[in-house]
């Protein structure tokens, strides 16, 4: 049929074949069962193994269904693993930007801060790891909502609480903000959560481009934005570069 993608059909057939019986299968057995060249079957199995949908017994070289299939209803990576992959990059981002860094995930309709790096100066600061932030009023949250239609709908349905006079409280305004965030690939909030505070964030992705978190910096408006309240390009570059580096580590896990 026009428009169908053969590689997805074949991958689906491999998964169904592995699910059909209790025994693990060799590459040749998969190829023979599906009428595929052995090289094609091997490539499909290796790709499915990379994303966690199949597992190979290194002793026998046989394949079976992987535990990644159990994670289809979730992001496929837990917060502790994400934090572990981001530690070095978050520290580097704080050093380069001169601002505090937060790594967040969506959890129960809020942004859960899973890692926080202090601003690299001698000022008094409090640790935000474990803190929950409003997604519609923060750069981290807007990035996460921008790539999840279900989360956007849920947050909007629950009501958009106002925190400052600049907080987005209208569903249509929020939709426009998220569209802009997707178009440029990073998010900006200026005094939407707290007066005088701005933040810049970018998405963290895993294999295939799925967004599993967001990383960003926060600080005084005058440091993060120019006189027109636009994000300073150098800081955007630092945040986006950090997000891409974390994404590469997460995807390669």
């Amino acid at each position: 049929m026009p428009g169908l993608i053969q590689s997805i059909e074949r991958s689906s057939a491999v998964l169904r074949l592995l699910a059909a019986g209790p025994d693990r299968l060799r590459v040749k057995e998969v190829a023979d069962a599906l009428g595929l060249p052995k090289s094609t079957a091997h490539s499909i199995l290796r790709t499915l193994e990379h994303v966690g949908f199949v597992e190979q017994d290194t002793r026998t070289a046989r394949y079976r269904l992987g535990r990644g299939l159990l994670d289809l209803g979730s992001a496929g990576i837990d917060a502790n693993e994400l934090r572990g992959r981001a530690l070095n990059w978050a520290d580097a981002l704080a050093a380069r930007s001169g601002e505090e860094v937060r790594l967040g995930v969506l959890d129960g309709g809020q942004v859960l801060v899973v890692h926080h790096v202090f601003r690299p100066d001698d000022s008094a600061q409090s640790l935000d790891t474990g803190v929950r932030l409003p997604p519609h009023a923060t750069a981290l949250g807007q990035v996460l909502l921008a790539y999840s239609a279900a989360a956007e709908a849920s947050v909007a349905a629950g009501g958009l609480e106002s925190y400052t006079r600049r907080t987005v409280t209208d569903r249509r305004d929020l939709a426009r903000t998220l569209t802009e965030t997707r178009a440029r690939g990073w998010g900006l909030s200026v005094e939407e959560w707290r007066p005088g505070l701005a933040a810049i964030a970018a998405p963290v992705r895993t294999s295939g481009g799925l967004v599993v978190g967001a990383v960003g910096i926060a600080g005084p408006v005058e440091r993060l934005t120019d006189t027109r309240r636009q994000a300073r390009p150098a800081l955007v570059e630092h945040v986006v570069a950090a997000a891409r580096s974390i994404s590469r580590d997460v995807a390669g896990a």
Side-chain angles (χ1 to χ4, degrees):
M1 293 176 61
L4 297 183
I5 301 175
Q6 188 180 54
S7 61
I8 295 179
E9 284 188 317
R10 288 175 171 175
S11 298
S12 174
V14 169
L15 292 174
R16 291 178 185 275
L17 179 66
L18 293 174
D23 296 331
R24 302 184 184 195
L25 300 177
R26 294 189 180 92
V27 174
K28 186 178 185 303
E29 293 170 329
V30 172
D32 290 346
L34 300 178
L36 298 173
K38 186 177 178 180
S39 61
T40 300
H42 185 248
S43 295
I44 292 172
L45 286 164
R46 288 297 302 276
T47 302
L48 291 172
E49 182 184 17
H50 176 69
V51 299
F53 288 177
V54 304
E55 297 173 349
Q56 184 186 39
D57 186 321
T58 56
R59 183 176 58 85
T60 64
R62 292 175 177 267
Y63 288 88
R64 69 176 180 182
L65 293 179
R67 287 170 291 182
L69 290 172
L70 301 176
D71 297 326
L72 286 176
S74 66
I77 181 171
D78 65 36
N80 287 330
E81 182 179 356
L82 179 61
R83 179 179 182 273
R85 298 284 173 182
L87 287 176
N88 291 337
W89 301 114
D91 286 345
L93 177 57
R96 290 168 183 160
S97 67
E99 304 296 344
E100 63 180 317
V101 174
R102 294 185 182 91
L103 178 73
V105 298
L106 280 177
D107 182 72
Q110 297 176 308
V111 178
L112 173 64
V113 178
V114 298
H115 185 53
H116 178 216
V117 182
F118 287 148
R119 185 172 56 257
D121 60 23
D122 296 327
S123 62
Q125 301 174 64
S126 58
L127 186 64
D128 282 352
T129 300
V131 168
R132 292 178 178 272
L133 308 175
H136 66 289
T138 57
L140 287 174
Q142 289 171 8
V143 165
L144 293 168
L145 293 181
Y147 298 97
S148 174
E152 176 190 352
S154 176
V155 167
L160 304 176
E161 183 177 349
S162 177
Y163 296 92
T164 73
R165 62 183 182 83
R166 296 180 61 88
T167 304
V168 175
T169 57
D170 181 84
R171 297 181 64 160
R172 289 170 296 184
D173 290 340
L174 177 62
R176 282 193 289 271
T177 296
L178 301 185
T179 297
E180 293 173 1
T181 298
R182 283 191 299 273
R184 64 193 176 199
W186 50 273
L188 170 69
S189 65
V190 180
E191 296 189 295
E192 295 179 44
W193 179 41
R194 290 178 177 171
L197 181 69
I200 302 168
V204 173
R205 301 175 184 271
T206 188
S207 301
L210 180 67
V211 173
V212 294
V215 64
I217 60 175
V221 172
E222 60 271 17
R223 289 211 301 258
L224 268 64
T225 68
D226 58 24
T227 55
R228 296 175 299 142
R229 291 178 173 264
Q230 299 299 305
R232 297 188 184 276
L235 294 178
V236 171
E237 290 179 9
H238 289 323
V239 171
V240 171
R244 288 175 177 166
S245 296
I246 297 169
S247 296
R248 283 194 296 269
D249 277 4
V250 170

